[in-house]
Amino acid sequence: MANKPVKYNPNQNKADTWRHNWEVMKPFVYFGFKAMTLIAGALIGIIKLLPSLLEQHKHNGHKKDDRVIKI
């Protein structure tokens, strides 16, 4: 976080301003990349797991009875 008050100087170089902004935002950018990596890894794991779960569900599903119940 920025601890120093930002003073705008018209004579200041724009590169210095961009560098200061990058120094302030760098931790948030790194956190965002790490969070996206974690979410992507979780989604890939879920997608790899789904076919096996669907096969188990298909085999354990309701079986149609051919019997006729007369009352």
Side-chain angles (χ1 to χ4, degrees), residues 2-9 12 17 20-21 24:
N3 294 332
K4 301 178 228 171
V6 178
K7 297 180 183 176
Y8 294 103
N9 184 0
Q12 187 177 11
T17 305
H20 176 71
N21 289 343
V24 171

Side-chain angles (χ1 to χ4, degrees), residues 1 5 9 11 21 24 28 34-35 37 39 43 54-55 59 61 63 70:
M1 300 290 281
N9 184 0
N11 298 331
N21 289 343
V24 171
F28 298 106
K34 289 179 183 178
T37 304
I39 292 170
L43 287 174
L54 291 175
E55 286 178 8
H59 294 302
K63 294 183 180 174
K70 296 182 180 180

